[in-house]
Amino acid sequence: MESSKLLIEGGRRLTGEIQIHGAKNSVLPILAATLLCGDVSSIHNSASLSNAFAAMRILRSLGCDVTHEGSTVTVNSANAEGDIVSDGLMHEMRSSIVFLGAILGRVGRCRLSFPGGCELGPRPIDLHLEALRRLGVKITEDHGILDCTAGARPQSADITLSLPSVGATENIMLYSALGTGETVIRNAAREPEISDLAGYLIKCGAEISGQGTSTLVINGVPELHGCEYSVMPDRIEAATYMGAAAITNGELMLRGVRPSDMYSCMSVFSEMGCGVYPYDDKIFISARKPISAVRTVRTMPYPGFPTDCQPIVMAVLAKSRGTSVIVENIFENRFMAAPELRRMDANIKAEGKVAVVEGVKKLYSAPVRAYDLRAGAALVVAALGAEGQTQVSNIHYIDRGYESIETALSSVGADIRRI
Ligand code: EPZ
């Protein structure tokens, strides 16, 4: 609900263990991909997130039968003939654009409204549309409505992305998996979520290679069948709870993670002075010492430091010893947490893509509000390390990407409740 808030009494050291959920940024494209097999797929380890529920609503609106039991979503897309994503659903979740490639691949036509910009910036989709046109798709843009029709596919297409866009890579994969022809994507995104989507599609019978590298090759196949698939762990959720341990000088064991996805995150927490110990599917983080500043944190496409962790790390560095410089290279406007952190006495100067964080000894509670998903999570992390009771509002943003954040945090000693 729009009005719900989190009340957080800061200053308590977090200790214990948290089970990490399946990745939001993987389950969304995988749910879109279930359209392509015209069969039944069971997607396990699917977190209960408002964004996942929105994706299920889109699938139902397209004629799929979708059930959700615990962390398993079962999709039967046998009768999916729909080719429209409603304006409401597009505005509810702009990443619904990832349905474009799947709907086109399945029914050959798709109409949806241009995804709105969001708090992070205009969020253009020019790379998506350029690539689909290279694959023979006719696209008209009229009064904010995209009307797309699949045309004759080229026998082979060699697409170079001007930047390694996650969404564009996913849309090309989704459109090329079912059909004919070989599609090569150069400068493809290398995020683990891309490899997870490839894993699901390959299990459905797709022919994909190079996932995780900058050059992806997809050979279209005439048919895909359903399968059971388990979504990869959410590396951003894991990094968020590492931030909570760091700012409270606590110790947390994070279970059900994949440390090999998180080297750049782990190294930043180590630079802060945390003890970070990865095991096969766990990470133990200990922050007994006061946090030190990190000279420079710059966000980069994977395997660089992920932009989604940047607001969380900003919150932790706000209460550290020394000065850190954060460079946000991915999104135009991703320092939304800074003004809210300043209300808690943080000393942050953000200008363009650079933010200078002068660590302070103490943060103080203040009424703050989330303006986007990860900035909201950053405020929760800051509140855990602040003196007094902080009220975070607009937490529906946080519910998009974290399954009941207050349950996870209170299970390791935080005084946090939803009102
Ligand atoms: C995905 O967004 C994630 N969302 C984002 O996570 C994540 O921050 C981002 O990848 C980068 O890792 C989902 O997976 C649902 P991009 P996406 O296309 O696909 C520009 C979160 O908090 N660009 O890699 O939209 C774009 O403006 C969310 O979980 C173009 O210019 O990211 C941005 O500056 C936030 N033209 C940059 O590329 C295009 O056609 C990266 O965007 C496409 C993108």
Side-chain angles (χ1 to χ4, degrees):
M1 288 114 43
E2 300 291 316
S3 60
S4 46
K5 296 177 171 59
L6 286 173
L7 273 188
I8 299 156
E9 187 67 47
R12 298 164 69 124
R13 171 171 289 175
L14 303 191
T15 54
E17 36 185 85
I18 295 178
Q19 180 69 33
I20 296 302
H21 298 98
K24 163 181 88 82
N25 292 346
S26 182
V27 73
L28 295 179
I30 287 176
L31 286 174
T34 60
L35 276 171
L36 295 169
C37 54
D39 192 354
V40 180
S41 283
S42 289
I43 311 301
H44 304 298
N45 201 29
S46 169
S48 295
L49 305 168
S50 51
N51 270 3
F53 300 141
M56 292 178 217
R57 278 198 289 281
I58 293 175
L59 287 170
R60 290 193 184 101
S61 73
L62 296 167
C64 296
D65 181 36
V66 184
T67 54
H68 177 215
E69 190 88 11
S71 66
T72 294
V73 181
T74 302
V75 182
N76 183 342
S77 60
N79 305 319
E81 271 100 40
D83 63 8
I84 293 180
V85 180
S86 77
D87 192 56
L89 283 166
M90 277 308 288
H91 273 84
E92 184 182 337
M93 182 175 70
R94 61 163 312 285
S95 36
S96 310
I97 190 65
V98 80
F99 277 85
L100 173 56
I103 296 170
L104 274 173
R106 174 64 192 270
V107 298
R109 173 114 201 258
C110 182
R111 268 169 296 154
L112 45 74
S113 53
F114 242 94
C118 75
E119 311 72 23
L120 306 183
R123 306 296 292 274
I125 57 168
D126 53 310
L127 302 180
H128 299 237
L129 303 184
E130 222 170 280
L132 290 172
R133 286 188 170 113
R134 297 282 304 280
L135 291 165
V137 179
K138 306 272 173 297
I139 301 173
T140 58
E141 306 166 37
D142 171 33
H143 293 94
I145 299 287
L146 276 176
D147 196 333
C148 309
T149 310
R153 289 173 188 250
Q155 254 319 305
S156 71
D158 196 315
I159 295 166
T160 299
L161 294 175
S162 56
L163 61 83
S165 156
V166 170
T169 303
E170 289 165 349
N171 255 329
I172 301 166
M173 288 167 76
L174 289 164
Y175 182 59
S176 315
L178 193 58
T180 59
E182 177 194 73
T183 303
V184 179
I185 313 174
R186 299 184 197 281
N187 198 22
R190 297 162 59 188
E191 272 69 5
E193 291 76 17
I194 299 288
S195 301
D196 214 29
L197 174 60
Y200 168 73
L201 287 168
I202 289 165
K203 218 172 162 189
C204 295
E207 286 174 23
I208 299 173
S209 60
Q211 58 274 25
T213 75
S214 295
T215 305
L216 258 171
V217 181
I218 303 113
N219 275 304
V221 293
E223 197 179 63
L224 292 171
H225 54 75
C227 73
E228 302 232 7
Y229 193 77
S230 195
V231 174
M232 65 174 269
D234 195 317
R235 58 198 172 102
I236 311 299
E237 182 191 29
T240 303
Y241 294 134
M242 289 174 77
I247 202 167
T248 60
N249 295 123
E251 288 187 333
L252 289 181
M253 174 69 89
L254 303 176
R255 291 189 175 283
V257 299
R258 206 159 61 183
S260 57
D261 294 340
M262 299 184 63
Y263 287 120
S264 51
C265 286
M266 290 193 287
S267 75
V268 167
F269 281 103
S270 306
E271 264 188 81
M272 288 180 196
C274 298
V276 181
Y277 310 96
Y279 301 93
D280 47 356
D281 64 346
K282 301 182 278 291
I283 292 179
F284 182 65
I285 179 166
S286 167
R288 287 294 184 207
K289 298 199 308 282
I291 296 299
S292 340
V294 172
R295 277 172 54 78
T296 309
V297 178
R298 46 173 70 84
T299 65
M300 295 301 263
Y302 192 87
F305 182 78
T307 172
D308 294 345
C309 296
Q310 177 264 102
I312 284 100
V313 160
M314 176 184 276
V316 180
L317 293 173
K319 195 179 92 171
S320 69
R321 290 171 156 163
T323 300
S324 309
V325 174
I326 298 178
V327 187
E328 171 55 55
N329 291 309
I330 307 294
F331 285 108
E332 293 82 1
N333 178 27
R334 195 163 203 173
F335 291 139
M336 306 291 284
E340 297 303 299
L341 291 168
R342 276 198 291 270
R343 294 161 64 92
M344 301 173 74
D345 241 23
N347 182 343
I348 302 170
K349 288 178 198 59
E351 181 114 3
K353 58 191 236 176
V354 179
V356 179
V357 183
E358 305 265 355
V360 293
K361 260 182 123 32
K362 281 188 183 288
L363 293 174
Y364 296 91
S365 59
V368 291
R369 67 185 47 225
Y371 287 103
D372 70 71
L373 163 58
R374 306 300 175 184
L379 295 174
V380 172
V381 167
L384 293 167
E387 295 242 326
Q389 187 179 75
T390 298
Q391 178 179 299
V392 183
S393 44
N394 281 1
I395 59 170
H396 59 282
Y397 282 112
I398 299 174
D399 293 335
R400 289 181 178 178
Y402 297 88
E403 180 173 330
S404 160
I405 196 167
E406 71 273 21
T407 307
L409 289 170
S410 41
S411 76
V412 290
D415 178 349
I416 175 172
R417 61 198 167 84
R418 184 180 290 249
I419 50 168

